[in-house]
Amino acid sequence: MVRYLVSIIIFLFGCEINSTQIIKPEKFKYDIVKFNTVSKILDNEFEANSSDHEIMSEIIQYWFDNRVKTDGFEGNLFLNVKKIQFNREKKIDYYKFSVSLSLEFIETKSSTNTKTYNVKSKEYGEISGSFAIKDQDNLDINLMHKALESISSKLNEIN
């Protein structure tokens, strides 16, 4: 009886150790985006009606708190999250995920001096063949980060 139990445990742990992930979680280093204002305010009007929206809202909040910097003597920066859209297509041995993100930056110095930047990003990825649910989750989160990374680089080109 003990032999059977040991062989079952070895089989279970052996299968778990030998499983490989197709999609690995990536490390993202967002560029610092600077605005010539004193304060910054994030306005995320989207309700977290799905786990994807909740994750994306957390990523945007972290990015805004840590990578969007102010270095001016006057004015305010308002960030409005205009659109967060996810599309998912899943078939047997095929998975496609896309993220569409639209942000509006309003830099206000006075009632007559206002700059508005509308920045959009769309990222997609797909997996085919045999893959795990964890691979789908990693792909989803990686694409959310890539969409925001794309917006960071576009803002640095504009600013």
Side-chain angles (χ1 to χ4, degrees):
M1 179 70 177
V2 172
R3 271 188 236 153
Y4 296 119
L5 185 61
V6 169
S7 60
I8 290 173
I9 290 174
I10 290 173
F11 175 75
L12 289 175
F13 285 117
C15 290
E16 185 68 29
I17 291 171
N18 291 332
S19 68
T20 58
Q21 283 185 302
I22 298 171
I23 307 292
K24 304 281 186 195
E26 294 182 35
K27 301 268 185 192
F28 291 93
K29 294 185 179 180
Y30 300 111
D31 295 334
I32 292 178
V33 181
K34 292 184 180 180
F35 288 92
N36 192 16
T37 61
V38 175
S39 67
K40 61 181 184 176
I41 299 170
L42 172 63
D43 184 21
N44 190 353
E45 298 175 359
F46 286 92
E47 294 181 20
N49 56 3
S50 71
S51 62
D52 291 333
H53 283 92
E54 189 174 309
I55 292 168
M56 191 69 205
S57 292
E58 289 173 7
I59 292 170
I60 291 171
Q61 183 69 51
Y62 175 82
W63 171 76
F64 185 73
D65 291 342
N66 297 296
R67 291 316 210 180
V68 176
K69 304 291 183 182
T70 59
D71 65 353
F73 294 107
E74 64 178 344
N76 298 312
L77 172 68
F78 297 100
L79 170 59
N80 296 323
V81 180
K82 295 298 239 180
K83 180 175 89 168
I84 302 174
Q85 183 178 1
F86 304 103
N87 290 322
R88 183 176 276 118
E89 181 181 342
K90 186 174 179 182
K91 298 178 183 175
I92 298 174
D93 295 339
Y94 179 78
Y95 179 74
K96 181 179 178 180
F97 184 75
S98 67
V99 178
S100 182
L101 181 62
S102 178
L103 303 177
E104 179 182 51
F105 295 83
I106 302 171
E107 191 176 7
T108 306
K109 302 279 178 132
S110 65
S111 61
T112 59
N113 188 3
T114 301
K115 294 180 187 176
T116 302
Y117 308 101
N118 288 304
V119 187
K120 298 178 183 179
S121 175
K122 184 164 184 163
E123 299 288 333
Y124 77 94
E126 57 188 340
I127 312 171
S128 59
S130 178
F131 51 87
I133 294 174
K134 185 70 175 169
D135 293 321
Q136 293 175 20
D137 294 340
N138 287 339
L139 177 69
D140 296 354
I141 291 172
N142 287 346
L143 290 175
M144 289 179 198
H145 282 285
K146 282 184 182 179
L148 201 53
E149 190 176 52
S150 173
I151 285 182
S152 281
S153 63
K154 289 176 183 178
L155 280 173
N156 279 330
E157 289 174 9
I158 293 171
N159 253 348

